[in-house]
Amino acid sequence: MRTVLTIVAPDFDVLQESLPLALEAVAGAGSTIQDIDILGAGAADIFFDHADLAIVRAKAQDALQYAQVDVCVQLAEHRKKRLLIADMDSTIIGCECLDELADFAGVKREVAAITERAMRGELQFEDALRERVAMIAGLPLDDLQRCFDERVKLNPGVRTLVATMAAAGARCVLVSGGFEFFTSRVAHAAGFQAHWGNKLIDDGEALTGRVADPILGRDAKLSTLRAEAAGFGATMADTLAIGDGANDVDMIMAAGLGVAYRAKPVLASQADARLDKTDLTSLLYFQGYGADRFVTG
């Protein structure tokens, strides 16, 4: 069974500098290199005979730890995924929406500190969410739209990632421990076909400081991955999940390819691959898409 190491760099010069290190890592794992395929100006596949994926991954990460590249080691079979499940805050967008709402309420420092601990896995997610939402009670509903307009920006590569996978027949779903108000707008902006999030309760004019039950957290993200896969007729091997925090761990570990994006250590250590240096189009290269097949979103 063929195995592939994908290396993604910001440009061809960095790729050229890094390829010898990647090749050395594969050989150092006792594998025989079979083929090299250039996917784009900064991306390449290295195919090799079947080996212990964990050993090759560890050797590649060690050899390339100081290079401006991201790597992914996986079996070539089922490489192109039929289902993308993506976290929203600090993954698909560049901020934590609740922290930004807290800024409008004048309590960002306090709320952000709780968010950081929750994302590191130091706090139970559901309790931490209720505590933070209570701290923004009374925030006028108009500030939610203002927050979206002024603070929420898609991370680089999102539209191309979603548009390319959708054009190839994949289903792309946004699943967030954040709020439906934002997931609906982000999903529309990025091209996701469906979205899931928590619901803030209001009195028609302002937030009440409560969030509707049941809360979508770590367990619910995993359940959503499984339900979406079953509904789409996909196996777990056909799925790709990406996130950044502790509440993403279970879905990342269950997915056929689980990727950590600028992630907290609790997640990064569990993921199949990490995106620390390049943008979200790297997920396309990881699946074997050449740059000539990218669809601009």
Side-chain angles (χ1 to χ4, degrees):
M1 189 174 294
R2 296 184 88 196
T3 312
V4 59
L5 184 157
T6 307
I7 178 173
V8 185
D11 56 51
F12 189 67
D13 289 340
V14 176
L15 179 65
Q16 280 190 310
E17 294 170 0
S18 304
L19 262 177
L21 296 174
L23 294 170
E24 184 178 342
V26 172
S31 299
T32 301
I33 296 168
Q34 299 174 333
D35 194 15
I36 300 174
D37 184 16
I38 302 300
L39 297 171
D45 277 340
I46 302 170
F47 291 94
F48 53 97
D49 58 355
H50 184 53
D52 188 313
L53 296 184
I55 292 177
V56 178
R57 185 178 297 123
K59 285 188 173 293
Q61 290 174 347
D62 182 62
L64 296 163
Q65 61 181 310
Y66 301 114
Q68 287 298 112
V69 300
D70 289 314
V71 299
C72 178
V73 179
Q74 61 186 316
L75 296 177
E77 187 179 10
H78 291 294
R79 189 179 176 196
K80 282 190 171 60
K81 305 305 183 184
R82 298 181 57 212
L83 174 66
L84 168 66
I85 299 285
D87 171 52
M88 181 179 72
D89 295 274
S90 298
T91 301
I92 294 302
I93 61 175
C95 68
E96 293 284 336
C97 290
L98 184 47
D99 292 359
E100 299 308 317
L101 289 177
D103 196 20
F104 285 90
V107 290
K108 182 175 183 177
R109 182 176 179 180
E110 297 89 338
V111 167
I114 299 171
T115 299
E116 178 68 15
R117 292 187 65 197
M119 291 302 98
R120 288 184 176 276
E122 297 171 5
L123 299 174
Q124 206 275 341
F125 178 80
E126 287 80 2
D127 291 342
L129 184 66
R130 291 188 182 96
E131 180 181 1
R132 287 175 291 160
V133 170
M135 295 168 71
I136 60 171
L139 187 72
L141 295 184
D142 288 348
D143 281 344
L144 273 70
Q145 186 63 47
R146 183 182 164 201
C147 179
F148 176 78
D149 293 339
E150 297 179 5
R151 308 289 179 89
V152 176
K153 307 298 179 186
L154 296 179
N155 277 330
V158 171
R159 288 193 179 97
T160 299
L161 167 65
V162 175
T164 302
M165 289 189 67
R171 178 169 170 81
C172 302
V173 180
L174 194 64
V175 56
S176 175
F179 309 113
E180 287 182 348
F181 179 92
F182 295 102
T183 60
S184 62
R185 288 160 174 77
V186 170
H188 176 75
F192 285 91
Q193 292 129 320
H195 67 93
W196 299 90
N198 288 303
K199 182 175 177 58
L200 290 165
I201 297 174
D202 64 77
D203 62 9
E205 296 184 357
L207 298 180
T208 64
R210 293 184 294 123
V211 60
D213 289 323
I215 289 178
L216 194 159
R218 181 168 173 165
D219 292 343
K221 286 192 173 189
L222 174 59
S223 296
T224 301
L225 168 67
R226 289 173 171 163
E228 286 284 351
F232 196 55
T235 67
M236 283 296 103
D238 296 319
T239 65
L240 165 62
I242 185 167
D244 75 302
N247 64 331
D248 299 312
V249 169
D250 291 348
M251 75 170 186
I252 293 295
M253 292 181 66
L257 179 62
V259 181
Y261 181 85
R262 277 55 165 178
K264 303 296 186 288
V266 66
L267 175 63
S269 64
Q270 302 293 328
D272 298 313
R274 303 198 303 261
L275 284 189
D276 296 320
K277 313 288 179 57
T278 58
D279 68 31
L280 286 161
T281 58
S282 293
L283 295 183
L284 295 172
Y285 288 128
F286 288 174
Q287 295 177 75
Y289 288 92
D292 60 343
R293 293 190 57 195
F294 285 10
V295 177
T296 303

